[in-house]
Amino acid sequence: MTALSSTLTWAQLRDLKCAELESAADGWGKASNRADAGRDRIEKQLLVGLRESQRGAAADAAVGRLRRMSRNLQYVYTECGLIRTALNSLAHEMRVQQGVLRRALEEAESLRFTVHADGSVSYPSGPGGLFDGDPLPGGTARVTGMPGLLPPSGLGAPDTHAARARDISDRVTGAVRAAARIDWRFTRILRRLRAEEGLKVPDRTWTDAAGDAAAVREAARGYLKSRIPRDAAPAAVREWWAHLTDEQREEYLAVYPDQIGNLDGIPSLIRDTANRDNLQLLIGKLEGRDDEVSRVRLAGLREIDRQLAEGGQPPMYLLGIGDEGNGRAIVSYGNPDTARNVAAYVPGLNTSLDEDFAKSDLKRARDTAIGMHQHDPSSAAITWLGYDAPQFPDGLDSLDVAQDERAVKGGEAFNGFMGGLSATNENPNPHMTAIGHSYGSRTVGAATQQDGGIPGVDDIVLVGSPGVGVDHAEDLGVGEGHVFVGAAQNDIVTKVPSKPQLITGFVGLTNLGPSGAQLFGDVADPGDDDLWFGKDPASKAFGARRFPVDEGPGVLSDGKLNTDAHGQYFDPVRDNSSANSIALVAAGKARDLKAEEYR
């Protein structure tokens, strides 16, 4: 059956009880909620208790089974939630067409017209014609083409019974045809929402779930999506969410986990719930693709999923996940809504959503959170990959590392995120720190130059920085005494020369000896405090507070360039001094920080 050949009549549309569809939707919603509650109990009670009290092969097997059950319940939660929203959307759209039909029928009744089963409308004799004034006979108006597409010709009197009957017939038939199309569309969607038989939910099932979610999102865009305040300020988003009913929140979470989970101003617990569901949908979406980008991204998503399932302390909160650009991932260790101290770390060059990011960049935030907890247990640290960091070497993209555009765009996004944290934090005056590493420090610098600076941020930490776009610490908007810098002696990035210096350095290369260290020193440090993106943050002229860090491995190793010194600032094993300094600042204990001489 197609929409245009449907046997649906206007009487059936009139008598359709949309409340019964909504009641069925409520039933599926209850099933979804029960599955979610079961999953929550497994994750927060059973698995936690099992890990703390049991060891050995039997315990490991039990953990595996509980994880599988949790994954199954997550799938049930998702699919039942999609069915609920599909039914509510169906009721919503049908009710709109019922309204069109009802108004047409009421007008027909008021004019004493008769609406027939096929949508034709009979009318009595009416006023005189346009030219001779004689009464016009009654008759029957029918829709012979597509209703609503052809306007009146204008050759007859606009108020004749015939014209009004045609208009009523148009509206009746148009409502029925639209309702038939709606019925056909939702029938196809609901038939897809079926799980495979068995007790396991394989990856291919999540692939199907991703398609199911996309279909329901498309169908529900008039019912839900248009109401999401995507362009609103974080405080307004927080108020929007707070005033939704429980049922509305559940539907948004089921159908739009990608948007709710990445919307600044939504509480962190809600974002975490939405993003964990969206993570499974993204894994399902990428599963089976054989292109390199999908394989790399899938590995990153799977590693994040593994860490979330593994648990641990401080607890992980997935505050953002997406596959746009080079990928998006925002992970907090500790709840940033309840913590008195919140630090957000912005990574730089070559960062993208891959397995290395999921292992190394997330570890930097975790190490920072653990260090902060030693000074104040009410702390949370975040890795924020909410922008497209430059990739080098990568064709034309390689040039981006020498430019500001990605930092400026990233700074805007970072400010939105920090504004969201400020809006949802439950403390009256939380202490917030922005941490920029490598090109990420340039992104933090760009964020400070937006109107009002970075929302809520009290302190800024810059490590491995090639410059931040300003020449003085006081220009970052938090006060000169609240900007802190770590720069390792052997970190090549902290000595990248300015554009004029680069020319001078390369001119002198032909006069250098064979020593690689001498080559690096002469080119990267021509003798003043300018770096590629402005004044050296570790210089006296910049005016930040420099803290001690390990000098790091040498620039050359076996005749090759070694950049390890650039990546160890957060590691308490490789550079305890730097890691502890970052934790001190982030925990609001900067008064205990040791000072290092300027460069």
Side-chain angles (χ1 to χ4, degrees):
M1 179 182 74
T2 67
L4 296 181
S5 65
S6 171
T7 58
L8 181 69
T9 67
W10 64 259
Q12 290 173 320
L13 176 59
R14 178 197 60 192
D15 297 337
L16 178 66
K17 293 179 174 59
C18 292
E20 293 183 355
L21 292 173
E22 292 167 335
S23 178
D26 290 342
W28 286 102
K30 291 176 181 177
S32 178
N33 291 340
R34 285 196 292 270
D36 190 41
R39 177 185 62 169
D40 194 62
R41 183 166 182 264
I42 289 173
E43 294 292 336
K44 296 182 179 179
Q45 296 181 33
L46 299 181
L47 281 174
V48 172
L50 190 59
R51 291 192 187 102
E52 292 178 349
S53 63
Q54 303 295 322
R55 296 288 185 274
D60 292 342
V63 167
R65 290 187 178 185
L66 283 173
R67 284 179 176 170
R68 184 165 62 248
M69 183 180 296
S70 176
R71 183 177 171 88
N72 291 354
L73 288 172
Q74 184 175 15
Y75 176 76
V76 172
Y77 160 77
T78 298
E79 291 291 290
C80 288
L82 292 175
I83 293 173
R84 171 185 54 194
T85 301
L87 289 172
N88 277 331
S89 298
L90 172 59
H92 170 77
E93 293 195 33
M94 284 297 198
R95 191 172 274 120
V96 170
Q97 298 308 319
Q98 278 186 320
V100 173
L101 174 65
R102 184 182 65 253
R103 288 187 292 273
L105 294 177
E106 289 173 350
E107 184 177 341
E109 183 179 7
S110 69
L111 295 171
R112 301 185 183 278
F113 290 1
T114 301
V115 181
H116 302 286
D118 63 356
S120 61
V121 177
S122 295
Y123 55 92
S125 59
L130 183 63
F131 300 107
D132 56 19
D134 292 337
L136 295 175
T140 300
R142 289 182 173 81
V143 174
T144 57
M146 293 298 290
L149 295 182
L150 297 176
S153 67
L155 296 179
D159 292 329
T160 64
H161 284 172
R164 299 185 74 174
R166 281 195 300 271
D167 177 63
I168 291 172
S169 182
D170 252 10
R171 286 183 280 153
V172 168
T173 307
V176 171
R177 290 182 177 179
R181 286 193 293 269
I182 292 166
D183 177 64
W184 174 71
R185 179 159 46 90
F186 278 93
T187 296
R188 294 180 63 199
I189 292 171
L190 290 166
R191 283 174 178 168
R192 286 184 54 179
L193 298 176
R194 298 185 300 180
E196 295 184 16
E197 294 184 2
L199 299 178
K200 294 182 65 176
V201 180
D203 288 336
R204 65 177 179 275
T205 304
W206 278 108
T207 302
D208 291 340
D212 294 341
V216 175
R217 277 198 297 268
E218 175 65 21
R221 66 177 184 266
Y223 170 61
L224 286 176
K225 185 178 180 181
S226 61
R227 305 176 191 177
I228 299 177
R230 292 182 298 277
D231 298 323
V237 171
R238 179 197 62 197
E239 290 301 311
W240 169 77
W241 184 260
H243 288 90
L244 293 177
T245 65
D246 289 341
E247 181 180 356
Q248 287 172 323
R249 292 175 186 170
E250 290 162 5
E251 289 199 88
Y252 279 115
L253 285 171
V255 182
Y256 297 106
D258 55 333
Q259 295 192 40
I260 300 302
N262 292 285
L263 192 58
D264 298 323
I266 297 292
S268 294
L269 283 172
I270 302 300
R271 292 182 71 158
D272 178 62
T273 298
N275 284 314
R276 287 176 187 247
D277 292 333
N278 191 40
L279 175 63
Q280 299 304 323
L281 296 176
L282 286 172
I283 290 174
K285 175 182 174 181
L286 297 177
E287 181 68 30
R289 293 186 181 179
D290 57 3
D291 62 284
E292 182 64 18
V293 172
S294 295
R295 286 196 298 269
V296 169
R297 194 151 298 164
L298 184 60
L301 293 172
R302 288 196 182 284
E303 176 58 23
I304 292 174
D305 186 42
R306 185 194 68 77
Q307 293 182 34
L308 288 168
E310 191 176 67
Q313 293 296 325
M316 288 176 68
Y317 294 82
L318 189 58
L319 304 183
I321 198 74
D323 61 351
E324 61 267 35
N326 293 331
R328 302 286 187 266
I330 307 171
V331 177
S332 179
Y333 291 88
N335 187 341
D337 288 354
T338 59
R340 287 191 299 268
N341 304 288
V342 181
Y345 146 64
V346 182
L349 177 65
N350 283 343
T351 309
S352 62
L353 181 51
D354 56 19
E355 189 172 9
D356 180 67
F357 164 83
K359 290 181 176 179
S360 62
D361 285 278
L362 296 192
K363 181 180 182 297
R364 290 173 179 174
R366 184 172 186 271
D367 286 340
T368 299
I370 292 172
M372 293 169 70
H373 277 230
Q374 294 174 359
H375 304 291
D376 186 345
S378 183
S379 298
I382 300 165
T383 293
W384 182 83
L385 180 59
Y387 80 120
D388 286 327
Q391 306 295 301
F392 182 87
D394 189 18
L396 292 176
D397 202 28
S398 302
L399 301 176
D400 290 332
V401 72
Q403 300 175 17
D404 294 294
E405 182 179 356
R406 294 198 177 208
V408 172
K409 289 183 178 179
E412 293 175 357
F414 184 62
N415 277 6
F417 174 73
M418 296 304 291
L421 293 186
S422 296
T424 57
N425 191 281
E426 299 169 6
N427 294 282
N429 187 28
H431 172 257
M432 294 192 176
T433 304
I435 305 172
H437 174 245
S438 187
Y439 188 87
S441 67
R442 176 67 189 95
T443 302
V444 169
T448 67
Q449 303 307 297
Q450 303 292 323
D451 289 343
I454 308 177
V457 166
D458 304 285
D459 293 315
I460 292 175
V461 177
L462 309 168
V463 288
S465 175
V468 296
V470 300
D471 289 333
H472 303 285
E474 62 184 12
D475 296 333
L476 295 178
V478 293
E480 190 173 290
H482 292 272
V483 180
F484 305 86
V485 175
Q489 176 61 31
N490 291 323
D491 182 353
I492 186 173
V493 175
T494 68
K495 297 185 176 183
V496 173
S498 66
K499 301 174 183 68
Q501 293 166 359
L502 188 63
I503 298 174
T504 303
F506 276 115
V507 168
L509 287 181
T510 55
N511 299 321
L512 293 178
S515 169
Q518 180 185 359
L519 173 75
F520 167 73
D522 284 10
V523 172
D525 188 12
D528 60 39
D529 296 325
D530 290 329
L531 296 184
W532 191 266
F533 293 117
K535 195 68 67 179
D536 180 1
S539 68
K540 184 176 182 179
F542 188 80
R545 296 172 62 183
R546 187 182 181 194
F547 54 82
V549 303
D550 188 86
E551 66 179 18
V555 175
L556 288 178
S557 177
D558 297 328
K560 297 180 180 179
L561 189 65
N562 187 337
T563 61
D564 287 352
H566 185 60
Q568 65 182 36
Y569 292 99
F570 300 86
D571 194 319
V573 175
R574 293 191 295 165
D575 193 344
N576 181 261
S577 178
S578 176
N580 187 54
S581 295
I582 294 171
L584 275 171
V585 175
K589 308 291 184 181
R591 61 181 179 275
D592 298 330
L593 200 66
K594 294 181 179 179
E596 176 74 358
E597 292 183 3
Y598 294 114
R599 286 207 299 214

